[in-house]
Amino acid sequence: MDIAHGLATVDLLSVRELPAEGYLVAELQTSGDFHGEDCSAWEETEEQYEADRDGLSERLTGRWGLPHLVSLASTLERSMAGEDIPEPWASLSGHVPDLHLWQLPGTPRWIALGVSQWDAELPFQLLLVVTETDPP
C-alpha cells in the first residue's frame, strides 16, 4: 500500500462534511478475489493487509497517539440478537473483525482503520471510516 496515498485520504476525509448517513467509508486498498486459490494465497494476503493497516496506523499514532484497538465481535453478536446498533458500526461488524480507532482531538470525529473480508472467496479491503457516531 502507498502510505502517502493513505495519509492523504485520511487528511481529506477527516475534514470533509459528512453525508446524511453520518459517515464516510473509503477503500484504501482492495485485493483480488480467491476463487480457486489455495489457502496460502489467502493467508498471505490477510497478513499483508493487516501489515498495511498497522503501517498506516503507526503513522496516525504519531499524529493522534495510540489507537483504541476495538473488536467488533460483540457488536456483531448484539446486532444479530436484535439490538439496534448505529451505523457505521452495525455494518462494519459483519465483515471487519477489529478496528484501530482514534477520536480526533477537540472534535466529535472518529477515524477507524480496519481490514474487511466478507467471505473466504471475496477480496480483502483496507477500509478507512470517518464518523461522528460514537462506537458502541
Side-chain angles (χ1 to χ4, degrees):
M1 184 188 101
D2 181 349
I3 295 286
H5 172 71
L7 290 171
T9 304
V10 168
D11 290 342
L12 178 67
L13 295 186
S14 65
V15 296
R16 183 176 282 174
E17 184 174 334
L18 297 176
E21 298 84 28
Y23 62 93
L24 297 165
V25 177
E27 298 170 17
L28 299 177
Q29 179 173 262
T30 301
S31 74
D33 63 28
F34 297 93
H35 296 286
E37 296 287 329
D38 62 30
C39 273
S40 64
W42 189 93
E43 290 169 354
E44 289 171 11
T45 303
E46 179 184 38
E47 289 174 11
Q48 183 61 55
Y49 272 64
E50 289 175 353
D52 290 345
R53 178 205 54 211
D54 294 349
L56 184 53
S57 183
E58 285 178 23
R59 297 292 295 271
L60 296 176
T61 294
R63 293 179 178 186
W64 302 318
L66 291 172
H68 301 277
L69 302 178
V70 178
S71 169
L72 293 179
S74 65
T75 303
L76 177 60
E77 290 173 12
R78 291 168 37 208
S79 178
M80 291 176 64
E83 185 177 335
D84 187 24
I85 304 292
E87 292 297 343
W89 313 114
S91 295
L92 288 171
S93 70
H95 58 99
V96 179
D98 53 62
L99 294 169
H100 292 205
L101 183 67
W102 297 264
Q103 186 167 22
L104 293 181
T107 77
R109 290 222 169 175
W110 292 93
I111 303 290
L113 291 176
V115 177
S116 168
Q117 220 257 339
W118 286 90
D119 187 58
E121 294 184 338
L122 296 178
F124 282 93
Q125 294 178 312
L126 178 57
L127 299 180
L128 166 67
V129 180
V130 179
T131 186
E132 292 182 357
T133 303
D134 290 337

